[in-house]
Amino acid sequence: MADPKTAAVGPLVGAVVQGTNSTRFLVFSSKTAELLSHHKVELTQEFPKEGWVEQDPKEILQSVYECIARTCEKLDEMNIDISNIKAVGISNQRETTVIWDKLTGEPLYNAVVWLDLRTQTTVEDLSKKIPGNSNFVKSKTGLPLSTYFSAVKLRWMLDNVRHVQKAVEEGRALFGTIDSWLIWSLTGGVNGGVHCTDVTNASRTMLFNIHSLEWDKELCDFFEIPMDLLPNVFSSSEIYGLIKTGALEGVPISGCLGDQCAALVGQMCFQEGQAKNTYGTGCFLLCNTGRKCVFSEHGLLTTIAYKLGKEKPAYYALEGSVAIAGAVIRWLRDNLGIIETSGDIEKLAKEVGTSYGCYFVPAFSGLYAPYWEPSARGILCGLTQFTNKCHIAFAALEAVCFQTREILEAMNRDCGIPLRHLQVDGGMTDNKVLMQLQADILHIPVIKPFMPETTALGAAMAAGAAEGVSVWSLEPQALSVLRMERFEPQIQATESEIRYATWKKAVMKSMGWVTSQSPESGDPSIFSSMPLGFFIVSSMVMLIGARYISGMP
């Protein structure tokens, strides 16, 4: 006779983690914060033109359904009754922009991903409309005018995609970040789906006033975006609606946080001055500034950290964003072929233990904080005949750490109180070489939880604590303390300073590469006057170099 399904684990909470490279669904015990089961699906990215990055919203949605179904199957095999799942939270890649038809449920265009650069000309045109001494966009949103945020992506679609224009004219179009698309679809879609977002995601659109916590008419007029496209804005922890199909039909979706804010909650950074750094596709350092907005003078963003309940106050954060972190590992794997799996980079870097004077600036999408310099492009410098793929692997890991140090220094200057240690999470933190490098380059301890799924944990905590669910207590005495692994600096501060100063020289050399290119046209006009022979020779050199680096014959 089969074992009866056990309820011993107590109430469970699920978390959808929808990232740039993958979707996951994870299930936690609300009493112990133990991760019981999970499933992951990798996603496709499309690059229609240089600087363009897109994803298929339907593929993203299907990956969520698949992850939920497979995780529930695994729980069933473990004799855990899925009826114990009392709520689901969602965390998501934040600025990625979707627009869809509310009558058919079909996307009107591919999702334009957060690191997409096609809107550079749009940004330049909008910048000319802002009065010189009064940047009302930044004062209302905490954000610089940049290709990064959703408003300019939506503006580009309204300007360039006739299919979208027509749907807007006919009142059929809905806009949202990925959380909105998923919640609307999961709660019924065309049959009564809930069109909403939470304050953390809304604060990344450049259309949301982070002081009044409302969509801002002046901002919408500035970007010429109709307000009826926008989702309703709720807190990060309340019941938005019920799942209408699949294994979890009838379960409430009751937590929603942009991925970096979810990680801040999952790391339990609830006190002013606590900070965490997440190492994913990009790299994101957030510092809780409490119930007050702190505006940066050193290139950081002011953003909403969380609002954990309808009647609860909003908390704010300073954020430093690096566009390319884990993405550089994927680039070494997919574009250069010098590693077969992402895990191989640790072995290569460990083999040499140094970059041997090689420095890598992976500015594939320009530079984000603290520079906000879209003209930058990736460079490798300091190469000699001795340089091999191991040194480049080490330099790639160092690049992630150097970028983090730049942000940490900016944050220390803005907050006035230097961080004494850095809490870290994200997939890349499994790499012990990277973690030790980070401690060495920052010259402060780096502290990593043994359970690295803090983004999922944060979404689950918000969902489980929501009014009407109430299976997860956010009272300090009730929160489980995460077990931590600690990395102490192992090099002299002077060596760290020298390496960092050399990195800064490389960063300066990466800027100004794109001087007259329009990513919207896809026509790199700076090359238009160069002879064909230049491209042939350059291509041969790059091909030979790539083969040499990867050890190919």
Side-chain angles (χ1 to χ4, degrees), residues 50-101:
E50 184 186 349
W52 294 31
V53 189
E54 297 180 359
Q55 289 180 302
D56 180 355
K58 292 174 77 173
E59 181 190 355
I60 290 172
L61 178 60
Q62 187 53 44
S63 73
V64 171
Y65 284 126
E66 182 180 343
C67 285
I68 290 173
R70 293 296 302 278
T71 302
C72 289
E73 287 170 13
K74 291 176 184 179
L75 289 170
D76 193 58
E77 289 164 8
M78 296 163 65
N79 282 323
I80 294 173
D81 192 338
I82 63 170
S83 69
N84 286 323
I85 298 175
K86 303 303 181 187
V88 169
I90 290 176
S91 84
N92 57 286
Q93 50 172 317
R94 292 175 296 175
E95 299 79 10
T96 297
T97 300
V98 188
I99 189 161
W100 67 94
D101 189 319

Side-chain angles (χ1 to χ4, degrees), residues 254-274:
S254 53
C256 181
L257 290 150
D259 49 10
Q260 304 314 318
C261 300
L264 192 75
V265 171
Q267 286 267 31
M268 299 171 200
C269 294
F270 293 125
Q271 301 301 313
E272 188 175 333
Q274 286 185 302

Side-chain angles (χ1 to χ4, degrees), residues 206-279:
M206 262 192 326
L207 300 170
F208 189 72
N209 189 313
I210 61 174
H211 310 286
S212 66
L213 305 185
E214 295 174 327
W215 298 120
D216 191 285
K217 186 174 187 310
E218 186 182 13
L219 290 168
C220 290
D221 289 346
F222 174 73
F223 289 103
E224 297 180 60
I225 288 172
M227 294 185 78
D228 58 4
L229 298 182
L230 307 179
N232 293 314
V233 183
F234 296 119
S235 77
S236 309
S237 178
E238 60 181 280
I239 295 174
Y240 313 114
L242 306 182
I243 295 175
K244 289 294 173 67
T245 186
L248 298 183
E249 185 176 350
V251 174
I253 300 173
S254 53
C256 181
L257 290 150
D259 49 10
Q260 304 314 318
C261 300
L264 192 75
V265 171
Q267 286 267 31
M268 299 171 200
C269 294
F270 293 125
Q271 301 301 313
E272 188 175 333
Q274 286 185 302
K276 67 88 209 173
N277 197 31
T278 298
Y279 299 75

Side-chain angles (χ1 to χ4, degrees), residues 14-20 22-26 60 64 88-94 178-180 182-183 198 200-201 236 240 253 255-263 453-460 462-463:
V16 173
V17 178
Q18 204 302 294
T20 317
S22 67
T23 298
R24 290 171 294 149
F25 184 67
L26 306 91
I60 290 172
V64 171
V88 169
I90 290 176
S91 84
N92 57 286
Q93 50 172 317
R94 292 175 296 175
I178 293 293
D179 58 303
S180 297
L182 294 181
I183 293 172
D198 89 303
T200 68
N201 282 294
S236 309
Y240 313 114
I253 300 173
C256 181
L257 290 150
D259 49 10
Q260 304 314 318
C261 300
E453 299 289 0
T454 52
T455 301
L457 182 61

